[in-house]
Amino acid sequence: MDPKGAIEKVLELEPSEGNPRNSEGAIIELGDGRLLLAYTHFYGGASDDAPAYIAGRYSNDRGRSWDKEDIIILENEGSQNVMSVSFLRLDSGRLGLFYAIKNSWGDLRLFLRESGDEGASWGEKICCTPQEGYFVVNNDRVVKLANGRIIVPVAYHRCPDKTRETWSHRGISMCFFSDDGGKTWRRSETELSAPEESNSGLQEPGIIELKDGSLMMWSRTDLGSQYVSYSCDGGLTWSRPGPSSLVSPLSPASIKRIPSTGDLLCIYNDHSGRFSYITGKRTPLVAAISSNEGRSWRNHKLIESDPDGCYCYTLIAFVDDTILLGYCAGDTRVGGLNRLRVVRVGLGWFYRED
């Protein structure tokens, strides 16, 4: 645990020979009460285009401990890899596994497989981004709205000849959605672009449904903060994006609603100055609470602070009166994205006034 005893590290997946990177993931509760963690297990290198498959670990005690050995959830189906897992309990009661298949710098798309036996086996894959292109979807990002619509936030990157040399760093945020349980998908009408002075554009977006039924999308930028946009029609159209109060480097934020309180929880790299930081680095890792639907944030709490650390691509899972956070927790020794860490934190800590 940390010095104050609040943050308990329950799993640490270090890189090793033949497994140089263990990266982003998601957690789902199964019908028998076990938890399943799925994550990207690289075996042919540590770069984003290196070979990888989707591995899994189970917890039988609500996240306090995890199996010592992996299972293989999905073998590598791409010319490069499979990665960026999200789980969702579908309206049918079946388990949905969303994951990206990467074939080239011009071909990255998200797919869905369903399981009727709680992940023991998986059905045929369905493409959730049904057009050619490079569509980035972060881990633990797929959302089901109150009306049953499944919505996937994506960042599109142009790549004319499918090589790294022509891949555009400047992302364009949008979404795809399904109204029939994931069988068919269509794209939003709006494509969101950052101001011209941004080199990054809008990257690695996420979506949260607000209490009034509208949607908020946030995206990472190189403009000093997460940029936000809103939709009042279920994701079909979006407002012009603008800066938020989440001051951060070019690094993704994760936001979910706390079931027991109704507040929003954000995990991000806070570069506002309330904690020590190094410009451009993905540290520190900070939690914040919003009780007004993301208009402002309070109770900023330090999760990780190592100035040599790199903390990003966070999964958030609510289990009883605790929250599980899983994130890349690398450093200059192992590589920034190559270690996966899962911690367990009591809900009360996020509200405690220090």
Side-chain angles (χ1 to χ4, degrees), residues 12 27 36 46 53-54 66 79 102 114 150 154 168 173 197 199 203 230 250 255 257 266-267 279 284 290 294 334:
E12 188 104 326
I27 289 174
L36 173 60
Y53 59 80
I54 304 300
W66 296 83
S79 300
K102 182 179 290 189
E114 295 184 25
I150 302 172
V154 308
S168 173
S173 286
E197 62 267 26
N199 291 319
Q203 298 181 356
Y230 297 89
L250 184 59
I255 300 174
R257 190 176 300 281
C266 179
I267 309 294
T279 300
S290 176
V334 303

Side-chain angles (χ1 to χ4, degrees), residues 141-280:
R141 282 291 208 243
V142 180
V143 175
K144 185 173 67 174
L145 306 183
N147 64 4
R149 172 172 286 182
I150 302 172
I151 191 160
V152 173
V154 308
Y156 171 64
H157 293 259
R158 294 187 174 90
C159 189
D161 65 3
K162 299 186 179 182
T163 66
R164 187 166 192 167
E165 287 70 27
T166 63
W167 184 82
S168 173
H169 190 65
R170 186 176 166 89
I172 301 170
S173 286
M174 61 188 73
C175 65
F176 286 81
F177 52 86
S178 172
D179 291 319
D180 56 9
K183 297 179 179 61
T184 60
W185 295 83
R186 61 186 178 123
R187 200 179 83 172
S188 60
E189 294 180 358
T190 307
E191 297 181 355
L192 296 172
S193 296
E196 291 183 2
E197 62 267 26
S198 171
N199 291 319
S200 70
L202 302 178
Q203 298 181 356
E204 300 184 337
I207 289 174
I208 189 79
E209 185 173 17
L210 303 180
K211 290 180 178 178
D212 64 1
S214 65
L215 307 179
M216 180 176 73
M217 180 191 291
W218 68 94
S219 302
R220 77 177 196 178
T221 73
D222 57 0
L223 298 172
S225 75
Q226 300 288 317
Y227 264 50
V228 295
S229 174
Y230 297 89
S231 174
C232 294
D233 54 16
L236 185 64
T237 61
W238 294 86
S239 66
R240 182 188 298 273
S244 74
S245 60
L246 294 170
V247 178
S248 67
L250 184 59
S251 183
S254 294
I255 300 174
K256 285 191 177 182
R257 190 176 300 281
I258 301 171
S260 60
T261 67
D263 294 333
L264 299 182
L265 171 67
C266 179
I267 309 294
Y268 74 117
N269 302 123
D270 183 353
H271 282 197
S272 67
R274 59 174 55 88
F275 304 107
S276 177
Y277 71 93
I278 299 173
T279 300

